[in-house]
Amino acid sequence: MNRMLDKLAILSICLIGICDSESYMLPVIALLTAVTASSSAQILTGKRSACIIIMVWAAICGIFPVFFCTAPLVVYDSLWEKKLWLSAPLVLFLFTDKSLIPIQYIATLAGIAVAFIIYSRVSSLERDVTKLTALRDEVTEKNIQLSQQNRLLADAQDNEIHLATLSERNRIAREIHDNVGHMLTRSLLQSGALIIINKDEKMKEPLISLKNTLDSAMTSIRESVHDLHDDSIDLRKIIEDALKAVDERFNVKLDYDISDNTSGKIKLCIAGVVKESISNAAKHSNGNNLSVILREHPVFYQVMIEDNGSSSSIQDSGIGLKNMTERAESCGGRITFTPSEKGFRVFMSIPKN
């Protein structure tokens, strides 16, 4: 749009020279030719056909005096094509009949000067706009990268906090188990011994009550320790760490959808089966893809590990497969092993208690 406005300004200068012609027909033809040629050159900017149009137009301007008045437009379009030599045919006018009046010469030369000035200012402005656009894009890209780095840093901090929390829970569980648990166990044994050796009937009931209280406390502490231990097992991290060990060997895909409040026994069972399956795939599979799917459904857990290595037989007597079967059965689940030419699949389902 800006280029069209610039051309209208240059064309208004050309009209001064065109309108001073003695003929009525040639100025109209020259004006229509200039408008048509300049519009076509702008539409075809950067193409070979645009260069041809400008050269033919410049040749016509060099041959016919009235057409020479539109030379500023020829020069302007040549400058936009970055090929000023396209307007060289205008020199032909120097060898043709010089029938133009002084005002036409002045208007044409002034128009050419204006064309250079406008092009210089507009091209400089466009270069500045291009630089600013590139700078804006670079700043936007840097902001995006910074945002991604901040997000990764926040995730890393959250992960460190999570790991520290799990480690602290483990430590507390060990402390309770090793200290309070042992002390309560000793107290239970002592209270039981006192009940046995006690001869006073009046003390029998209080001692039994004391033993029951200690037994209840022991049960409560045992449940708390188990809960802390269950919470301290990060199943997802265990699976991801196991997959990292083989990510150079396989194209790994993990689909994980299990809640954190899953019991520790089931977490350990799933972790053991997945790690054993990954180890077997690394040892025996000739494929390059490994898929691990862990999903929690309303009434059961589903685990599937599959690779694309060819396999037609399976050794049911293998220690690894037996261990996986025992793990599944210990949680009331079932596990199957499916070998084929397209891959090997381990599928396990564990019901919820």
Side-chain angles (χ1 to χ4, degrees):
M1 185 65 184
N2 291 333
R3 189 173 170 185
M4 291 295 296
L5 293 176
D6 295 341
K7 286 188 176 183
L8 287 175
I10 296 172
L11 185 61
S12 63
I13 299 175
C14 295
L15 287 174
I16 297 174
I18 293 175
C19 292
D20 284 334
S21 177
E22 297 179 355
S23 173
Y24 293 101
M25 185 64 66
L26 283 177
V28 175
I29 296 174
L31 182 62
L32 292 177
T33 301
V35 171
T36 302
S38 183
S39 300
S40 301
Q42 182 170 336
I43 294 172
L44 300 172
T45 296
K47 297 182 179 180
R48 185 179 180 182
S49 51
C51 297
I52 294 174
I53 291 172
I54 294 173
M55 288 192 68
V56 172
W57 178 19
I60 294 174
C61 292
I63 296 174
F64 300 100
V66 176
F67 284 78
F68 184 75
C69 294
T70 64
L73 278 178
V74 177
V75 173
Y76 187 71
D77 283 324
S78 299
L79 289 171
W80 272 104
E81 289 295 325
K82 304 294 189 298
K83 298 174 181 177
L84 184 59
W85 56 267
L86 293 175
S87 57
L90 291 173
V91 180
L92 292 173
F93 180 77
L94 299 175
F95 304 100
T96 60
D97 182 20
K98 301 177 181 58
S99 58
L100 295 180
I101 59 177
I103 188 64
Q104 290 176 318
Y105 280 114
I106 294 172
T108 301
L109 293 176
I112 292 174
V114 170
F116 273 100
I117 294 171
I118 291 177
Y119 172 76
S120 176
R121 293 177 64 87
V122 172
S123 60
S124 176
L125 178 61
E126 287 197 349
R127 284 194 299 270
D128 292 340
V129 170
T130 301
K131 289 180 181 178
L132 289 174
T133 302
L135 181 61
R136 182 199 62 189
D137 294 341
E138 183 179 355
V139 171
T140 302
E141 184 180 357
K142 293 295 184 183
N143 287 335
I144 293 174
Q145 292 177 353
L146 181 61
S147 176
Q148 291 175 344
Q149 291 296 328
N150 288 337
R151 186 167 61 253
L152 291 175
L153 180 60
D155 291 341
Q157 290 175 342
D158 291 342
N159 186 53
E160 288 180 2
I161 294 172
H162 179 62
L163 293 177
T165 303
L166 296 182
S167 177
E168 184 64 14
R169 286 178 177 175
N170 253 334
R171 188 190 66 79
I172 294 172
R174 285 196 305 269
E175 291 293 330
I176 294 175
H177 179 270
D178 295 341
N179 297 321
V180 181
H182 289 170
M183 292 173 65
L184 282 175
T185 301
R186 186 171 63 182
S187 298
L188 280 169
L189 292 174
Q190 289 174 347
S191 62
L194 287 173
I195 292 173
I196 294 173
I197 66 176
N198 176 56
K199 303 300 183 181
D200 189 351
E201 290 296 328
K202 293 181 180 180
M203 293 299 296
K204 184 175 182 180
E205 189 68 27
L207 288 173
I208 292 175
S209 177
L210 175 62
K211 184 177 183 300
N212 291 337
T213 301
L214 290 172
D215 192 31
S216 177
M218 186 65 180
T219 301
S220 179
I221 287 180
R222 186 183 295 112
E223 290 176 352
S224 298
V225 170
H226 280 232
D227 289 341
L228 283 173
H229 183 260
D230 290 350
D231 291 339
S232 67
I233 300 174
D234 190 343
L235 179 59
R236 186 185 188 100
K237 187 177 187 306
I238 293 173
I239 302 302
E240 289 177 346
D241 289 344
L243 290 173
K244 284 180 181 178
V246 296
D247 59 0
E248 295 182 358
R249 168 75 168 75
F250 296 99
N251 298 318
V252 176
K253 180 181 179 183
L254 174 62
D255 183 356
Y256 185 95
D257 184 20
I258 293 181
S259 62
D260 293 333
N261 59 359
T262 303
S263 70
K265 183 178 180 181
I266 292 178
K267 286 182 180 178
L268 292 175
C269 174
I270 293 175
V273 169
V274 173
K275 290 172 71 174
E276 183 66 31
S277 299
I278 293 173
S279 177
N280 287 341
K283 291 178 182 178
H284 306 295
S285 175
N286 60 356
N288 60 349
N289 293 323
L290 181 63
S291 172
V292 178
I293 300 174
L294 297 91
R295 292 199 180 105
E296 180 178 354
H297 298 281
V299 294
F300 68 95
Y301 298 95
Q302 176 187 2
V303 178
M304 186 171 73
I305 307 96
E306 187 174 16
D307 65 75
N308 62 342
S310 60
S311 176
S312 58
S313 62
I314 182 172
Q315 296 294 330
D316 293 328
S317 59
I319 296 176
L321 300 187
K322 282 187 176 182
N323 288 339
M324 286 191 281
T325 302
E326 291 175 0
R327 286 180 183 273
E329 291 175 349
S330 68
C331 294
R334 295 184 59 197
I335 189 168
T336 59
F337 310 102
T338 307
S340 69
E341 291 298 328
K342 296 182 179 179
F344 186 82
R345 184 177 68 180
V346 178
F347 184 87
M348 180 175 67
S349 62
I350 302 174
K352 290 186 175 180
N353 293 331

